[in-house]
Amino acid sequence: MPKTKLKTVLLAATPDPELIVSMGAKLCYSKADIAALEQTAKSPEFIDRLTQMGHLSPIEHAVFSFGIEGVSRALLAQITRHRIASFSVQSQRYVNQSAKKGEFSYVIPPSIEALGTEAVQKFESQMNTMQKWYDEWVDALGNAGEKSNEDARFVLPNACETKMIVTMNARELLHFFALRCCNRAQWEIRELAWQMLALAMEKAPALFKSAGPACVNGVCSEGKMSCGRMAEVRERHRKLMEGCGHE
């Protein structure tokens, strides 16, 4: 039963996200027709001014779809709290998790790995036990496909891997990054958020150059709950910017 690893890819995005955002914003203040607006050169400075004004509705025109795998069901419970998004998630009802089908994969928390080999072996043993429980219930329920899977899955752990496709518009992504790139966020969804930010920034650097937790551009919004690692967060963000050609 294999340990799995987080992997994120950008599957699709609005072809020229910064152009459509610029057009949407300029349309609000211009008498020009759509064709004329499309000829108007977009600029990072204009998009900066747009976000500083708080005129964020045009940013919703840019849409991004990510393929995500190697994440836990615990993460699924967190990410689906972001309601302005679309999710397609691998089903534990239709996808059998039995050993005969290749066993279920799982995520091992870094805190457990940090305890050493013995702790990891104990965790893996517990996963093996749950695999046996699942297989036993599938057989007891008649090994009847989804009819058996839907109840046998109740013994599967939060560590069990899932895969998903997630689509968000750019405005919701900015909100997502502000919350989930923060060190106060749980470790797994935080790492996912940083991977998604890197991909989004590469596609639309002007839109996402200021994306991330509050401390990237100002003071920490967590108050007394601050992690105290602002410099570390800003350095990580700076390296992403460099990778996208920003100095």
Side-chain angles (χ1 to χ4, degrees), residues 59 170 197:
I59 295 175
L197 175 55

Side-chain angles (χ1 to χ4, degrees), residues 25-45:
K26 291 180 179 181
L27 179 66
C28 298
Y29 305 104
S30 174
K31 290 184 178 181
D33 58 25
I34 300 295
L37 285 173
E38 191 172 5
Q39 300 305 313
T40 303
K42 65 182 185 292
S43 71
E45 292 76 19

Side-chain angles (χ1 to χ4, degrees), residues 78-228:
Q78 296 182 78
I79 196 170
T80 50
R81 293 173 187 154
H82 293 269
R83 305 304 297 274
I84 307 176
S86 298
F87 300 92
S88 295
V89 182
Q90 186 183 71
S91 171
Q92 288 184 335
R93 183 186 185 200
Y94 292 100
V95 179
N96 189 285
Q97 305 290 319
S98 71
K100 294 177 182 178
K101 299 291 185 179
E103 305 178 315
F104 72 82
S105 298
Y106 52 84
V107 175
I108 304 179
S111 60
I112 291 178
E113 290 185 314
L115 295 175
T117 302
E118 186 175 339
V120 170
Q121 290 175 345
K122 181 177 181 179
F123 187 88
E124 291 173 340
S125 175
Q126 292 169 340
M127 295 298 106
N128 288 330
T129 296
M130 293 179 196
Q131 178 73 70
K132 292 176 182 177
W133 291 344
Y134 176 84
D135 293 347
E136 288 172 1
W137 282 117
V138 168
D139 290 339
L141 294 167
N143 202 4
E146 65 186 82
K147 291 183 179 180
S148 302
N149 300 342
E150 66 182 5
D151 289 339
R153 64 181 167 173
F154 275 65
V155 298
L156 292 174
N158 269 339
C160 189
E161 182 203 16
T162 192
K163 302 176 177 70
M164 69 187 81
I165 292 175
V166 177
T167 300
M168 295 185 187
N169 67 52
R171 185 178 185 178
E172 177 61 14
L173 278 172
L174 290 173
H175 175 66
F176 177 76
F177 296 144
L179 295 179
R180 302 301 188 173
C181 288
C182 176
N183 279 337
R184 291 273 298 149
Q186 185 260 359
W187 63 267
E188 188 180 18
I189 199 168
R190 182 174 68 244
E191 184 56 34
L192 171 63
W194 279 102
Q195 287 192 17
M196 291 170 64
L197 175 55
L199 293 167
M201 192 179 287
E202 184 176 357
K203 178 68 177 178
L207 277 178
F208 294 103
K209 76 172 193 175
S210 298
C215 65
V216 166
N217 301 294
V219 298
C220 175
S221 60
E222 294 293 317
K224 293 181 179 180
M225 302 297 289
S226 174
C227 71

Side-chain angles (χ1 to χ4, degrees), residues 224-241:
K224 293 181 179 180
M225 302 297 289
S226 174
C227 71
R229 294 154 57 192
M230 181 186 298
E232 175 187 310
V233 174
R234 288 182 173 178
E235 177 63 14
R236 184 171 189 176
H237 188 271
R238 185 189 65 79
K239 288 181 178 179
L240 285 189
M241 294 283 288

